[in-house]
């Protein structure tokens, strides 16, 4: 079955789907994106993803390409046309097409919209979660506006590649102050030896993950103690558990950091429980 992408008003076979070479997304990474988990053909926590998209667009002064309700219809349609029951739907909005010049186009152009969807292997993900993943640390080298979900992801690409080359799945950024900020494509968490879950506050230095926000509600409901504060690499090495969160991985246990095992080297009980409970608390659209 061929895959279908939505590109600027048209549903196209992925092999023929293309954007203009002068699209500012291509020329300058001048755009934003969102990724939603798809479960049972439905989009997980879609309204929150749209609210974050709106914020990212506003911060970069990119116009909304269409009403968000219409974007929702397109995203559902791409999921449907690709017959994705479990997987991801990806949305990208760029400032649009204009003659190459760094400053914004003098006459407003229409933002470009691309939506794709793909299936993930549920069993494989469950197996990965049952084993846990390894992370390595890398120096934080991103711009200060990582709160914007921009398509400008070169440092994240390099960090992820370094992780792969060092036999790990994810990279955690460590700031010059010694505190972990987040993963290359996930938020970072630890669990202390007395059962408190720790993650950095989302006021600066990280992307405000939607999975992170929902998980905090899960923890409140389950009466799991949460501390929103930065933590150091040394603290992570001493922690009972560690895990990462993202729309594609939900809660993914971390069993080693820079080659040193976390806790007993197995996925922790709190991370496992949070992964199991997560979808009871998420909204399905
Ligand atoms: N931080 C970064 C840098 C990310 O790229 C992502 C997701 O792609 C996240 C955090 C997690 O965000 P969410 O839970 O909304 O997927």
């Amino acid at each position: 079955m061929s895959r279908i992408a939505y590109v600027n008003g048209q549903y196209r076979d992925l092999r023929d789907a293309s954007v203009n070479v002068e699209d500012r997304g291509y020329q300058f990474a001048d755009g934003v994106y969102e990724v939603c988990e798809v479960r049972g053909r439905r989009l997980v926590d879609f309204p929150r993803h749209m609210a974050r998209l709106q914020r990212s667009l506003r911060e970069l002064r990119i116009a909304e390409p269409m009403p968000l309700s219409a974007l929702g219809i397109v995203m559902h349609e791409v999921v449907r046309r690709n017959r994705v029951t479990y997987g991801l739907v990806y949305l990208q909005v760029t400032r649009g097409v204009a003659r190459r010049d760094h400053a914004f186009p003098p006459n407003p152009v229409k933002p470009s919209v691309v939506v794709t969807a793909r299936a993930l292997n549920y069993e494989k993900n469950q197996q990965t979660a049952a084993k846990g993943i390894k992370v390595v640390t890398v120096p934080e080298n991103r711009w200060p506006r990582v709160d914007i979900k921009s398509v400008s992801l070169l440092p994240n690409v390099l960090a992820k590649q370094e992780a792969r080359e060092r036999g790990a799945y994810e990279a955690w950024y460590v700031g010059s102050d010694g505190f972990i900020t987040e993963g290359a494509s996930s938020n970072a968490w630890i669990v202390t030896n007395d059962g408190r879950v720790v993650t950095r506050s989302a006021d600066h230095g990280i992307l405000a993950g939607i999975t992170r926000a929902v998980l905090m509600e899960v923890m409140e409901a389950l009466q799991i103690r949460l501390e929103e504060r930065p933590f150091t690499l040394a603290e992570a090495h001493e922690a009972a558990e560690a895990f990462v969160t993202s729309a594609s991985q939900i809660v993914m246990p971390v069993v080693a950091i820079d080659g040193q095992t976390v806790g007993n080297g197995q996925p922790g009980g709190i991370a496992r429980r949070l992964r199991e409970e997560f979808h009871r608390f998420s909204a399905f659209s």
Side-chain angles (χ1 to χ4, degrees):
M1 193 193 85
S2 60
R3 287 177 61 202
I4 303 295
Y6 172 91
V7 185
N8 294 324
Q10 288 183 313
Y11 295 93
R12 309 281 299 264
D13 189 302
L14 201 64
R15 284 168 299 205
D16 308 322
S18 57
V19 293
N20 191 298
V21 293
E22 288 204 305
D23 193 289
R24 292 180 60 95
Y26 181 66
Q27 294 286 346
F28 299 113
D30 186 2
V32 301
Y33 74 109
E34 277 297 330
V35 180
C36 291
E37 188 195 17
V38 178
R39 277 210 169 206
R41 285 268 155 103
R42 290 184 297 167
L43 307 193
V44 177
D45 297 314
F46 177 69
R48 294 192 200 225
H49 282 279
M50 286 300 101
R52 185 173 64 186
L53 173 76
Q54 217 165 14
R55 177 182 180 278
S56 297
L57 290 170
R58 202 168 50 234
E59 291 296 313
L60 297 181
R61 294 195 277 152
I62 297 175
E64 281 178 24
M66 61 178 95
L68 296 184
S69 54
L71 260 186
I73 291 170
V74 170
M75 290 169 77
H76 280 95
E77 184 60 14
V78 172
V79 168
R80 192 187 70 76
R81 288 191 188 217
N82 287 283
R83 300 195 192 141
V84 175
T85 47
Y86 171 68
L88 298 173
V89 58
Y90 173 89
L91 162 72
Q92 178 170 318
V93 180
T94 76
R95 198 179 304 278
V97 177
R99 205 168 83 115
R100 193 176 187 281
D101 181 9
H102 288 63
F104 295 174
N107 302 313
V109 290
K110 230 178 122 41
S112 301
V113 183
V114 168
V115 181
T116 54
R118 72 180 160 101
L120 293 178
N121 184 330
Y122 180 76
E123 290 309 323
K124 194 162 159 245
N125 279 3
Q126 291 296 86
Q127 282 162 16
T128 305
K131 283 206 311 223
I133 60 161
K134 297 174 182 171
V135 306
V136 293
T137 58
V138 296
E140 178 65 88
N141 60 356
R142 299 173 302 162
W143 74 324
R145 294 308 309 276
V146 294
D147 57 301
I148 301 170
K149 200 164 168 63
S150 148
V151 294
S152 179
L153 290 170
L154 195 48
N156 311 60
V157 167
L158 296 178
K160 206 73 156 194
Q161 181 59 23
E162 181 171 337
R164 295 288 147 82
E165 287 172 8
R166 290 168 61 189
Y169 185 78
E170 177 61 303
W172 277 7
Y173 288 112
V174 186
S176 53
D177 56 4
F179 290 101
I180 308 280
T181 52
E182 63 179 335
S185 64
S186 59
N187 289 123
W189 308 67
I190 57 168
V191 183
T192 63
N193 288 296
D194 59 356
R196 284 166 294 133
V197 177
V198 183
T199 199
R200 190 186 180 98
S201 108
D203 55 5
H204 71 279
I206 67 167
L207 179 74
I210 303 302
T211 319
R212 174 187 179 280
V214 174
L215 199 67
M216 286 182 173
E217 296 177 5
V218 178
M219 279 187 277
E220 197 178 344
L222 300 180
Q223 296 186 323
I224 292 172
R225 283 174 300 164
L226 168 71
E227 273 178 22
E228 247 185 299
R229 61 166 176 84
F231 60 87
T232 61
L233 178 57
E235 242 188 303
H237 277 144
E238 297 289 298
E241 299 182 28
F243 60 91
V244 296
T245 56
S246 72
S248 58
Q249 303 173 92
I250 303 302
V251 177
M252 184 55 75
V254 170
V255 293
I257 303 171
D258 289 338
Q260 216 169 301
T261 56
V262 177
N264 63 5
Q266 299 292 318
I270 291 182
R272 278 210 313 266
R273 182 157 179 233
L274 291 173
R275 182 178 174 87
E276 280 161 19
E277 298 279 354
F278 184 86
H279 291 97
R280 275 211 298 135
F281 296 86
S282 40
F284 289 85
S285 306

